[in-house]
């Protein structure tokens, strides 16, 4: 075995890891306290509390950008509700629509919390969603269940499958009485409301709660708390924590990004056999995350989008539509792929802009009309690495 491998195992055996509780940096970890979210937690608790006296709580929508604590706050409040409740007809369920990936599986996962009778259980496939909703409603009615369903990433469900199921649920109070079902929807996309049937919208958003992005100060406090649980005392230097907070707060205050940075910085420090995490570990973690993000975004792109992205990357400090089209056309010849029209290229640039890979903004050239200023928003190295995985780009 190589010396490196031996060294890794030797260090692990000696317990020289800087981690004390690695799991506390995982996405599913439920911290003891959620600073800066006391207001939202209380408000959700107030809205749900009628259920403890047997009344149906209002439906509720939680909104906010990614990493603002929506999921963790909802799970925490739900857990406390479950722990407080003494009624056994109270059911609290949590389902993430994106994780389940289909409407059917989302429903089936919810149904699992309801303990359906044997002959009504939901098979892996085969039923219509209407039938699944029917079985769920029947079970809630039969047992007089007081149910709360937290539907996380509800925007994904609506975007991919429409709002039919939500419509059924928000209209089903008669079918469920004397039981009931309250919905807590969570979304990081405000626009998803625009696609909802107005009746679904008004019912679903009886109450709404916004989760603002964290400030850099807040991120720092959150990281400090987490570092105390995750690492040996003083393994994470204040400088490193500040840097994680500043980097994660630079776009919008995203606690997930902050914690991911800290975890990966910890892994870097560990791999390098350091005693603690310093700034350089955080910087390495950040570029690793950038490479991973770019990799993931690029890998699934069609070849034409990749070609356009590559053409953009050939220009230092940005380019314009005409120049880019020329470079793109030459590249297509080199790659042996079809050359799309300027119009199609323009459309694809828009898509790449949405993905945050390029910036393509319209600038006026006075009487000579308008053009686009186009520039790469990602590191060129990360791009080259991601493209090198596609055999089409295997040219010297
Ligand atoms: N106030 C807080 N205190 C401690 N940790 C927090 C706090 N807010 C968020 N976190 C942590 O930050 C990470 C992201 O939070 P969470 O998953 O709740 O974000 P989200 O708003 O659901 O984002 P998304 O919209 O992307 O799903 C989690 O690891 C969570 O534990
Ligand atoms: Mg979430």
């Amino acid at each position: 075995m190589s010396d490196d491998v031996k060294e890794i195992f030797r260090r692990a055996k000696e317990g020289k890891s800087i981690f004390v509780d690695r799991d506390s940096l995982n996405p599913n970890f439920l911290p003891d306290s959620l600073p800066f979210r006391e207001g939202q937690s209380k408000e959700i608790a107030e809205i749900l509390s009628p259920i403890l006296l047997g009344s149906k709580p209002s439906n509720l929508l939680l909104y906010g950008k990614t990493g603002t604590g929506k999921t963790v706050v909802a799970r925490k409040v739900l857990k406390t509700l479950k722990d407080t409740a003494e009624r056994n007809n109270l059911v609290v369920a949590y389902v993430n629509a994106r994780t389940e990936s289909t409407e059917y599986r989302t429903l089936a996962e919810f149904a699992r919390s309801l303990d359906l009778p044997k002959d009504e259980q939901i098979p892996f496939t085969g039923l219509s969603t209407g039938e699944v909703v029917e079985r769920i409603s029947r079970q809630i009615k039969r047992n007089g269940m007081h149910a709360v369903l937290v539907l996380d990433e509800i925007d994904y469900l609506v975007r991919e499958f429409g709002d039919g199921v939500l419509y059924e649920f928000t209209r089903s109070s008669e079918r469920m009485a004397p039981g009931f079902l309250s919905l807590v929807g969570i979304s990081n996309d405000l626009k998803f409301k625009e696609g909802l049937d107005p009746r679904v919208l008004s019912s679903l958003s009886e109450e709404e709660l916004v989760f603002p992005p964290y400030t850099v100060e807040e991120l720092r406090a959150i990281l400090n708390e987490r570092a105390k649980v995750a690492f040996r005392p003083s393994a994470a230097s204040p400088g490193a924590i500040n840097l994680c907070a500043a980097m994660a707060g630079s776009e919008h205050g995203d606690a997930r990004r902050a914690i991911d940075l800290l975890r990966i910085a910890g892994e870097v420090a560990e791999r390098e056999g350091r005693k603690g995490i310093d700034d350089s570990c955080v910087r390495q973690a950040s570029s690793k995350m950038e490479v991973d993000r770019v990799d993931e975004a690029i890998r699934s792109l069609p070849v034409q989008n990749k070609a356009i992205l590559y053409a953009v990357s050939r220009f230092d400090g940005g380019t314009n539509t005409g120049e880019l089209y020329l470079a793109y056309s030459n590249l297509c010849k080199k790659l042996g792929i079809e050359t799309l029209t300027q119009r199609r290229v323009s459309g694809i640039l828009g898509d790449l802009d949405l993905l945050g890979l390029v910036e393509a903004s319209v600038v006026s050239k006075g009487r000579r009309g308008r053009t686009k200023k186009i520039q790469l928003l990602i590191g060129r190295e990360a791009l080259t690495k991601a493209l090198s995985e596609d055999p089409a780009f295997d040219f010297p």
Side-chain angles (χ1 to χ4, degrees):
M1 252 314 108
S2 78
D3 285 352
D4 289 351
V5 172
K6 272 190 203 147
E7 176 63 16
I8 290 169
F9 288 140
R10 192 186 60 74
R11 273 208 296 270
K13 210 166 116 198
E14 277 183 10
K16 275 226 169 116
S17 172
I18 60 170
F19 289 97
V20 176
D21 180 1
R22 206 181 283 267
D23 293 342
S24 67
L25 297 171
N26 283 345
N28 295 332
F29 179 76
L30 262 192
D32 284 337
S33 72
L34 294 168
F36 318 111
R37 287 296 177 252
E38 290 89 357
Q40 284 85 354
S41 306
K42 272 193 217 156
E43 211 162 322
I44 298 171
E46 300 262 354
I47 291 164
L48 295 182
S49 54
I51 203 169
L52 293 169
L53 298 173
S55 315
K56 179 184 179 308
S58 300
N59 293 326
L60 166 65
L61 268 184
L62 308 181
Y63 275 121
K65 291 201 170 150
T66 187
T68 52
K70 303 177 297 294
T71 298
V72 73
V73 166
R75 284 179 53 219
K76 185 100 186 178
V77 175
L78 227 58
K79 184 172 180 303
T80 316
L81 173 63
K82 217 179 215 164
D83 294 346
T84 318
E86 279 151 9
R87 301 162 172 267
N88 49 16
N89 65 344
L90 187 143
V91 177
V92 291
Y94 169 91
V95 182
N96 183 310
R98 188 191 301 273
T99 315
E100 298 305 327
S101 83
T102 67
E103 191 177 46
Y104 188 89
R105 286 177 56 174
T106 302
L107 288 170
E109 180 61 22
F110 174 37
R112 272 171 17 121
S113 323
L114 299 174
D115 225 357
L116 302 190
K118 251 210 168 72
D119 56 338
E120 297 221 340
Q121 280 175 7
I122 314 297
F124 284 122
T125 61
L127 301 179
S128 68
T129 51
E131 173 62 20
V132 182
V133 171
E134 188 53 43
R135 290 187 186 186
I136 288 173
S137 307
R138 217 174 328 172
Q139 173 72 347
I140 292 177
K141 181 185 189 74
R142 186 165 35 215
N143 295 293
M145 285 174 167
H146 296 169
V148 180
L149 169 62
V150 177
L151 202 45
D152 206 347
E153 314 221 26
I154 192 173
D155 47 320
Y156 170 85
L157 186 78
V158 171
R159 197 165 47 241
E160 299 290 321
F161 305 99
D163 59 1
V165 163
L166 297 178
Y167 182 80
E168 293 293 323
F169 278 152
T170 51
R171 303 274 114 185
S172 56
S173 48
E174 259 164 46
R175 265 194 289 164
M176 294 181 182
F180 58 71
L181 169 65
S182 292
L183 292 173
V184 178
I186 303 182
S187 166
N188 57 24
D189 173 17
L190 262 164
K191 284 204 223 114
F192 103 98
K193 287 209 289 193
E194 292 166 9
L196 290 179
D197 179 305
R199 288 166 297 184
V200 175
L201 177 61
S202 70
S203 163
L204 198 61
S205 60
E206 285 170 330
E207 301 275 357
E208 285 191 11
L209 212 58
V210 176
F211 284 59
Y214 292 111
T215 64
V216 172
E217 282 301 314
E218 289 172 342
L219 290 177
R220 184 182 316 168
I222 290 171
L223 287 175
N224 267 320
E225 284 306 305
R226 203 61 76 89
K228 277 187 213 155
V229 187
F231 302 115
R232 282 166 186 267
S234 71
S237 73
I241 287 187
N242 284 349
L243 191 57
C244 289
M247 282 176 158
S250 63
E251 245 168 68
H252 75 267
D254 174 346
R256 178 177 304 109
R257 186 167 156 71
I259 293 172
D260 283 348
L261 263 174
L262 189 62
R263 187 192 70 245
I264 296 168
E267 286 163 2
V268 168
E270 184 177 54
R271 209 171 314 129
E272 296 186 348
R274 298 174 188 236
K275 288 209 179 69
I277 305 165
D278 64 11
D279 285 18
S280 79
C281 304
V282 177
R283 288 187 207 285
Q284 285 185 58
S286 170
S287 56
K288 182 174 167 359
M289 277 170 69
E290 162 80 358
V291 169
D292 289 351
R293 185 183 75 87
V294 169
D295 229 50
E296 200 179 311
I298 293 177
R299 202 171 320 141
S300 52
L301 289 178
V303 68
Q304 286 290 347
N305 301 42
K306 287 180 180 167
I308 293 167
L309 197 57
Y310 183 77
V312 175
S313 78
R314 295 295 89 195
F315 297 93
D316 276 322
T319 178
N320 60 46
T321 325
E323 226 176 32
L324 175 71
Y325 191 70
L326 207 63
Y328 158 77
S329 311
N330 287 333
L331 179 65
C332 288
K333 285 195 204 103
K334 212 159 127 191
L335 296 176
I337 60 173
E338 184 195 354
T339 309
L340 300 180
T341 61
Q342 191 137 12
R343 198 193 165 88
R344 295 267 309 275
V345 170
S346 204
I348 291 176
L349 275 173
D351 295 343
L352 296 173
D353 184 316
L354 276 180
L355 286 172
L357 297 171
V358 304
E359 189 187 340
S361 53
V362 178
V363 290
S364 169
K365 291 207 298 183
R367 276 190 296 129
R368 284 185 297 144
R370 282 142 36 108
T371 181
K372 271 188 178 159
K373 174 147 173 30
I374 303 151
Q375 59 185 8
L376 198 66
L377 289 180
I378 54 179
R380 205 182 275 172
E381 268 167 54
L383 171 67
T384 317
K385 184 170 170 290
L387 286 181
S388 69
E389 285 162 24
D390 188 330
F393 286 81
D394 191 15
F395 57 84

